[in-house]
Amino acid sequence: MLLKKITLLALNYTFDATRFIKHSSVFTINSQQKIEGKITYNYHSIEKGHINEQIRYKFGVIKINKLIHLLKIWLNRNYDITNSQFIAACSVLVKYYHFHSENKVDISEIIAESDYYLFKPYYNENVGGIINYDINKYFQHSSEKFDLFSDSRHSVRHFNGEMVSLEKMREVVKIAKNAPSVCNRQSVKIKLVNDHVLTQKVLKIQGGMIATANTVNQLILVTSNINSFVSEVERNQMFIDGGIFLQNLLYALHHHKIAACALNWSKPFFYDKRIKKLLKLNPAERVIAVVAIGYPPNEFKVPFSKRKELSEILEIFG
Ligand SMILES: Cc1cc2nc3c(=O)[nH]c(=O)nc-3n(C[C@H](O)[C@H](O)[C@H](O)COP(=O)(O)O)c2cc1C
C-alpha cells in the first residue's frame, strides 16, 4: 500500500515535470503563447521602472534588448498583431523611446531608430506605461459595487511609513478567511511581519521589490500547510487554496484602504530554507506569496498592467 502510494506520487511528479519541460518557455519558445509570456515578463518590468520618483535614464537595457528580440520573432513568425500583450509591449517600448527623446537623451544604442519605426505602427497611446493616482482617487471605489471595486485595485509599491494597526489587520483577515478551500480544509495561515527590520530581511530574500523595498514596514506571508492534504492527487492543492486566499486577502486590504503588492514565491528550494529559518516556520508550511502592505503616499504611480481582451480569455463550448 505504501509502495503504491509512493509510486503514484513519483509518477505524478514525473508527469508534472515532463509537461512543464515541454509546455513552459523554459527550454523552448515554439509557440505564440510562450513568446507572449516572455514578452509580458519583460515589458512589465519596464513599466515598473517608470513608477519610481527618480527615473534613471536608460534603465532596463537588458530587458529592452530581450523585448526587441522577442517582438521581432513575433513579427517574423506572423503571430497575431492584434494580440493585447504584443500591442502593450510595443506601446511600452515606444513610450520608453518618447520619454528619452522628450528629455533629449540619446538611446540609439538601446532602441535603434529603425526598430522604433518597426514597432510604432502597433503603438496604442492608451495602453502600457503607468497610471498616476492620488490617495483619494485610488480608494474612491473601495466600498463600491464589485465591478468598480475589483477594477480599482492595483499593486501599489510605495508606502508612506505609517503602520497598519493590529486591530485593522484582524478585520482584514476576518474578511480574507471567507475564501473557499478544498473540502473546507483551510490549510492557509497568515503571518504578519510587523517589524521594519524583519520586513526588510524578508524582502531581501524575496528580491522582487528592489526600488521601493525600503518604504515597506509590514508584510504578510501567506502559507499553506501540507498536513491538510490527504492524497497524492492533491500535491498542487496548496497553491490553489493559497492563491484563492491571497486574492481574497488583496481585496480585503483594498476594502480597508490598505495598499498592497503581492510578491512571488516561485523560488528555488533553498529560498524556502532561508525563509523558514528566518521566521521559524513549521516545516510543513509552503510559502504561497509575500504581500507588502501599508498606506500609500498622497501621490503615487502604478504600472498599467494591461489585461488580456475578453476574446483572448473566454472560450465557450456548446
Ligand atoms: C502571485 C503574485 C506574485 C507577484 N510578484 C511580484 C513581484 O515579485 N514583484 C512585483 O513588483 N510585483 C509582483 N506581483 C504584482 C504583479 O506584477 C501585478 O499583480 C500584475 O502586474 C497586475 O497588476 P495589478 O496587481 O496592479 O492589477 C505579483 C502578483 C502576484 C499575484
Side-chain angles (χ1 to χ4, degrees):
M1 197 61 183
L2 179 66
L3 190 64
K4 189 180 165 200
K5 283 183 179 174
I6 292 175
T7 309
L8 270 176
L9 192 61
L11 276 175
N12 275 291
Y13 272 121
T14 308
F15 183 80
D16 284 351
T18 313
R19 182 169 47 189
F20 195 79
I21 289 166
K22 188 168 176 199
H23 296 294
S24 73
S25 65
V26 179
F27 300 102
T28 52
I29 49 168
N30 53 358
S31 76
Q32 177 173 306
Q33 188 148 354
K34 286 184 185 180
I35 304 264
E36 183 194 285
K38 280 190 180 286
I39 283 177
T40 307
Y41 176 82
N42 285 292
Y43 89 70
H44 182 63
S45 178
I46 307 299
E47 276 187 328
K48 280 203 286 187
H50 281 280
I51 65 169
N52 299 323
E53 267 163 41
Q54 301 279 318
I55 302 175
R56 215 167 22 93
Y57 290 127
K58 303 185 180 184
F59 71 90
V61 175
I62 294 172
K63 295 268 160 58
I64 295 272
N65 285 340
K66 283 188 185 155
L67 197 52
I68 291 174
H69 173 68
L70 291 162
L71 290 172
K72 284 184 177 172
I73 296 178
W74 189 281
L75 289 173
N76 285 338
R77 292 188 190 169
N78 291 319
Y79 286 157
D80 180 7
I81 53 169
T82 66
N83 176 284
S84 61
Q85 301 308 298
F86 170 75
I87 290 173
C90 292
S91 304
V92 167
L93 210 58
V94 168
K95 283 182 183 183
Y96 182 98
Y97 190 93
H98 289 168
F99 167 74
H100 286 89
S101 52
E102 278 157 19
N103 287 286
K104 305 201 172 5
V105 178
D106 176 22
I107 57 159
S108 51
E109 81 282 13
I110 304 173
I111 305 178
E113 206 180 344
S114 54
D115 287 341
Y116 168 72
Y117 284 109
L118 179 65
F119 302 123
K120 191 151 181 271
Y122 313 106
Y123 165 62
N124 180 342
E125 181 186 12
N126 301 315
V127 170
I130 49 142
I131 310 172
N132 287 294
Y133 274 111
D134 69 52
I135 192 163
N136 294 325
K137 185 177 153 206
Y138 180 62
F139 287 121
Q140 68 179 325
H141 297 307
S142 63
S143 293
E144 285 277 357
K145 276 174 49 199
F146 188 71
D147 52 351
L148 288 175
F149 167 78
S150 160
D151 195 37
S152 70
R153 185 213 54 81
H154 296 278
S155 292
V156 178
R157 295 170 179 81
H158 293 92
F159 303 94
N160 71 4
E162 189 188 335
M163 298 290 278
V164 180
S165 71
L166 294 183
E167 197 187 354
K168 183 66 87 184
M169 283 312 300
R170 285 193 185 96
E171 288 175 39
V172 166
V173 180
K174 248 190 213 169
I175 300 178
K177 76 185 180 67
N178 292 331
S181 62
V182 64
C183 310
N184 201 26
R185 264 180 266 154
Q186 304 172 70
S187 65
V188 171
K189 279 238 165 103
I190 294 298
K191 319 259 172 184
L192 174 64
V193 178
N194 209 36
D195 167 86
H196 178 78
V197 175
L198 200 51
T199 294
Q200 292 302 310
K201 284 185 184 168
V202 175
L203 289 178
K204 205 167 168 199
I205 299 176
Q206 194 277 333
M209 211 189 178
I210 297 155
T212 56
N214 61 344
T215 70
V216 187
N217 283 335
Q218 288 165 292
L219 58 78
I220 292 167
L221 223 69
V222 180
T223 66
S224 177
N225 193 312
I226 301 171
N227 287 177
S228 301
F229 301 109
V230 299
S231 136
E232 74 283 347
V233 294
E234 289 189 336
R235 66 198 174 283
N236 296 317
Q237 193 62 41
M238 63 196 110
F239 304 113
I240 299 164
D241 290 2
I244 293 171
F245 201 107
L246 170 65
Q247 179 63 77
N248 219 31
L249 175 70
L250 294 174
Y251 279 150
L253 289 161
H254 190 54
H255 177 65
H256 278 288
K257 298 187 166 45
I258 300 166
C261 182
L263 300 166
N264 85 82
W265 199 263
S266 300
K267 302 285 180 207
F269 66 91
F270 47 88
Y271 277 62
D272 281 354
K273 291 192 170 177
R274 281 187 208 160
I275 196 84
K276 271 183 184 156
K277 195 169 163 205
L278 180 67
L279 297 178
K280 300 184 180 55
L281 302 181
N282 177 333
E285 280 177 296
R286 272 305 296 263
V287 180
I288 302 301
V290 175
V291 185
I293 60 164
Y295 294 105
N298 287 335
E299 291 184 347
F300 59 96
K301 297 170 187 163
V302 299
F304 190 92
S305 295
K306 167 72 180 156
R307 295 304 199 268
K308 289 185 180 181
E309 301 301 336
L310 190 59
S311 58
E312 293 174 309
I313 294 174
L314 177 64
E315 286 180 37
I316 297 173
F317 296 87

Short mmCIF file of all heavy atoms in Angstrom, two decimals, residues 44 48 153-155 157 206 208-209 246 250 261-265 288-289 302-303 305 307, ligand 1:
data_model
loop_
_atom_site.label_atom_id
_atom_site.label_comp_id
_atom_site.label_asym_id
_atom_site.label_seq_id
_atom_site.Cartn_x
_atom_site.Cartn_y
_atom_site.Cartn_z
N HIS A 44 6.57 44.24 -18.64
CA HIS A 44 6.06 44.63 -17.31
C HIS A 44 7.18 45.20 -16.45
O HIS A 44 6.98 46.15 -15.68
CB HIS A 44 5.41 43.44 -16.63
CG HIS A 44 4.83 43.78 -15.29
ND1 HIS A 44 3.80 44.68 -15.13
CD2 HIS A 44 5.17 43.40 -14.04
CE1 HIS A 44 3.53 44.82 -13.85
NE2 HIS A 44 4.35 44.05 -13.16
N LYS A 48 7.35 48.85 -14.68
CA LYS A 48 7.64 49.07 -13.25
C LYS A 48 8.74 50.11 -13.05
O LYS A 48 8.72 50.86 -12.08
CB LYS A 48 8.05 47.74 -12.59
CG LYS A 48 6.86 46.87 -12.25
CD LYS A 48 7.17 45.87 -11.15
CE LYS A 48 8.04 44.74 -11.63
NZ LYS A 48 8.21 43.67 -10.64
N ARG A 153 -8.57 48.04 -7.80
CA ARG A 153 -7.40 47.56 -7.05
C ARG A 153 -6.18 47.45 -7.97
O ARG A 153 -6.30 47.01 -9.10
CB ARG A 153 -7.70 46.18 -6.43
CG ARG A 153 -6.57 45.67 -5.54
CD ARG A 153 -6.45 44.16 -5.59
NE ARG A 153 -6.31 43.67 -6.95
CZ ARG A 153 -5.15 43.67 -7.62
NH1 ARG A 153 -4.04 44.12 -7.08
NH2 ARG A 153 -5.11 43.23 -8.87
N HIS A 154 -5.06 47.88 -7.50
CA HIS A 154 -3.80 47.71 -8.22
C HIS A 154 -2.72 47.29 -7.24
O HIS A 154 -2.89 47.47 -6.02
CB HIS A 154 -3.35 49.01 -8.88
CG HIS A 154 -4.29 49.52 -9.93
ND1 HIS A 154 -4.30 49.05 -11.22
CD2 HIS A 154 -5.27 50.44 -9.86
CE1 HIS A 154 -5.24 49.67 -11.91
NE2 HIS A 154 -5.86 50.53 -11.11
N SER A 155 -1.62 46.81 -7.75
CA SER A 155 -0.47 46.56 -6.89
C SER A 155 0.22 47.89 -6.65
O SER A 155 0.65 48.55 -7.60
CB SER A 155 0.49 45.60 -7.57
OG SER A 155 -0.11 44.33 -7.66
N ARG A 157 3.33 49.89 -4.86
CA ARG A 157 4.68 49.54 -4.41
C ARG A 157 5.35 50.66 -3.61
O ARG A 157 6.54 50.60 -3.33
CB ARG A 157 5.53 49.14 -5.62
CG ARG A 157 5.04 47.88 -6.31
CD ARG A 157 5.73 47.62 -7.64
NE ARG A 157 5.26 46.40 -8.29
CZ ARG A 157 4.15 46.29 -9.00
NH1 ARG A 157 3.36 47.33 -9.18
NH2 ARG A 157 3.81 45.14 -9.57
N GLN A 206 13.21 37.75 -0.71
CA GLN A 206 12.21 37.67 -1.81
C GLN A 206 12.77 38.31 -3.08
O GLN A 206 12.62 37.76 -4.16
CB GLN A 206 10.90 38.34 -1.37
CG GLN A 206 9.71 38.02 -2.27
CD GLN A 206 9.67 38.91 -3.52
OE1 GLN A 206 10.18 40.03 -3.49
NE2 GLN A 206 9.09 38.41 -4.59
N GLY A 208 11.99 40.83 -5.09
CA GLY A 208 11.22 41.31 -6.24
C GLY A 208 10.76 42.76 -6.14
O GLY A 208 9.93 43.22 -6.91
N MET A 209 11.31 43.47 -5.16
CA MET A 209 10.78 44.83 -4.93
C MET A 209 11.93 45.80 -4.63
O MET A 209 11.83 46.60 -3.69
CB MET A 209 9.84 44.76 -3.73
CG MET A 209 8.72 45.76 -3.81
SD MET A 209 7.82 45.79 -2.29
CE MET A 209 6.67 47.08 -2.69
N LEU A 246 -5.13 34.32 -1.18
CA LEU A 246 -4.33 35.51 -1.48
C LEU A 246 -5.18 36.58 -2.16
O LEU A 246 -5.14 37.76 -1.79
CB LEU A 246 -3.14 35.12 -2.38
CG LEU A 246 -2.32 36.26 -2.99
CD1 LEU A 246 -1.60 37.06 -1.90
CD2 LEU A 246 -1.29 35.71 -3.98
N LEU A 250 -6.11 40.30 -0.81
CA LEU A 250 -5.82 41.55 -1.53
C LEU A 250 -7.08 42.43 -1.58
O LEU A 250 -7.02 43.65 -1.41
CB LEU A 250 -5.31 41.26 -2.94
CG LEU A 250 -3.94 40.57 -3.04
CD1 LEU A 250 -3.62 40.21 -4.48
CD2 LEU A 250 -2.83 41.44 -2.45
N CYS A 261 1.06 44.95 -2.34
CA CYS A 261 1.62 44.35 -3.56
C CYS A 261 2.00 42.91 -3.26
O CYS A 261 2.82 42.64 -2.38
CB CYS A 261 2.85 45.13 -4.02
SG CYS A 261 3.54 44.45 -5.55
N ALA A 262 1.37 41.98 -3.97
CA ALA A 262 1.76 40.57 -3.85
C ALA A 262 3.15 40.41 -4.44
O ALA A 262 3.48 41.04 -5.45
CB ALA A 262 0.76 39.68 -4.59
N LEU A 263 3.95 39.58 -3.80
CA LEU A 263 5.32 39.35 -4.27
C LEU A 263 5.54 37.85 -4.37
O LEU A 263 5.22 37.11 -3.44
CB LEU A 263 6.32 39.96 -3.28
CG LEU A 263 6.18 41.48 -3.08
CD1 LEU A 263 6.95 41.94 -1.85
CD2 LEU A 263 6.63 42.24 -4.31
N ASN A 264 6.10 37.42 -5.49
CA ASN A 264 6.08 35.98 -5.78
C ASN A 264 7.02 35.16 -4.92
O ASN A 264 8.07 35.63 -4.48
CB ASN A 264 6.37 35.77 -7.27
CG ASN A 264 7.85 35.72 -7.53
OD1 ASN A 264 8.49 34.70 -7.36
ND2 ASN A 264 8.40 36.85 -7.94
N TRP A 265 6.60 33.94 -4.69
CA TRP A 265 7.49 32.99 -4.01
C TRP A 265 7.72 31.77 -4.91
O TRP A 265 7.66 30.62 -4.48
CB TRP A 265 6.93 32.60 -2.63
CG TRP A 265 8.04 32.03 -1.80
CD1 TRP A 265 8.33 30.70 -1.63
CD2 TRP A 265 9.05 32.74 -1.09
NE1 TRP A 265 9.46 30.57 -0.87
CE2 TRP A 265 9.92 31.79 -0.53
CE3 TRP A 265 9.32 34.11 -0.90
CZ2 TRP A 265 11.04 32.15 0.23
CZ3 TRP A 265 10.42 34.47 -0.15
CH2 TRP A 265 11.26 33.50 0.41
N ILE A 288 3.17 30.65 -0.08
CA ILE A 288 2.42 30.88 -1.32
C ILE A 288 2.83 32.22 -1.93
O ILE A 288 3.07 32.33 -3.12
CB ILE A 288 0.89 30.85 -1.04
CG1 ILE A 288 0.50 29.52 -0.40
CG2 ILE A 288 0.09 31.14 -2.30
CD1 ILE A 288 0.80 28.28 -1.21
N ALA A 289 2.87 33.24 -1.09
CA ALA A 289 3.29 34.57 -1.57
C ALA A 289 3.61 35.45 -0.37
O ALA A 289 3.22 35.16 0.76
CB ALA A 289 2.17 35.22 -2.39
N VAL A 302 1.28 53.55 -10.49
CA VAL A 302 1.26 52.08 -10.61
C VAL A 302 1.45 51.71 -12.08
O VAL A 302 1.06 52.49 -12.96
CB VAL A 302 -0.06 51.46 -10.08
CG1 VAL A 302 -0.28 51.77 -8.62
CG2 VAL A 302 -1.26 51.90 -10.91
N PRO A 303 2.02 50.54 -12.35
CA PRO A 303 2.14 50.12 -13.75
C PRO A 303 0.75 49.89 -14.35
O PRO A 303 -0.18 49.51 -13.64
CB PRO A 303 2.90 48.79 -13.66
CG PRO A 303 3.49 48.73 -12.31
CD PRO A 303 2.63 49.58 -11.42
N SER A 305 -0.27 47.57 -16.44
CA SER A 305 -0.62 46.13 -16.39
C SER A 305 -1.86 45.78 -17.22
O SER A 305 -2.89 45.36 -16.69
CB SER A 305 -0.83 45.68 -14.93
OG SER A 305 0.35 45.76 -14.20
N ARG A 307 -4.66 44.15 -19.14
CA ARG A 307 -5.28 42.83 -19.12
C ARG A 307 -5.60 42.37 -20.54
O ARG A 307 -5.83 43.19 -21.44
CB ARG A 307 -6.58 42.87 -18.30
CG ARG A 307 -6.37 43.16 -16.83
CD ARG A 307 -5.40 42.16 -16.21
NE ARG A 307 -5.50 42.11 -14.78
CZ ARG A 307 -4.79 42.84 -13.92
NH1 ARG A 307 -3.87 43.70 -14.36
NH2 ARG A 307 -4.96 42.70 -12.62
C1 LIG B 1 1.47 35.75 -7.11
C2 LIG B 1 1.94 37.12 -7.50
C3 LIG B 1 3.29 37.43 -7.44
C4 LIG B 1 3.75 38.70 -7.75
N1 LIG B 1 5.09 39.01 -7.62
C5 LIG B 1 5.50 40.27 -7.79
C6 LIG B 1 6.86 40.61 -7.52
O1 LIG B 1 7.68 39.78 -7.12
N2 LIG B 1 7.22 41.93 -7.69
C7 LIG B 1 6.34 42.88 -8.08
O2 LIG B 1 6.72 44.06 -8.18
N3 LIG B 1 5.04 42.58 -8.35
C8 LIG B 1 4.61 41.31 -8.20
N4 LIG B 1 3.29 40.98 -8.42
C9 LIG B 1 2.34 42.01 -8.85
C10 LIG B 1 2.01 41.84 -10.33
O3 LIG B 1 3.02 42.42 -11.09
C11 LIG B 1 0.65 42.51 -10.58
O4 LIG B 1 -0.34 41.84 -9.85
C12 LIG B 1 0.25 42.47 -12.05
O5 LIG B 1 1.12 43.24 -12.83
C13 LIG B 1 -1.17 43.02 -12.23
O6 LIG B 1 -1.24 44.34 -11.77
P1 LIG B 1 -2.22 44.80 -10.62
O7 LIG B 1 -1.98 43.94 -9.40
O8 LIG B 1 -1.87 46.23 -10.36
O9 LIG B 1 -3.62 44.63 -11.11
C14 LIG B 1 2.82 39.70 -8.16
C15 LIG B 1 1.47 39.37 -8.24
C16 LIG B 1 1.02 38.11 -7.91
C17 LIG B 1 -0.45 37.80 -7.98
#
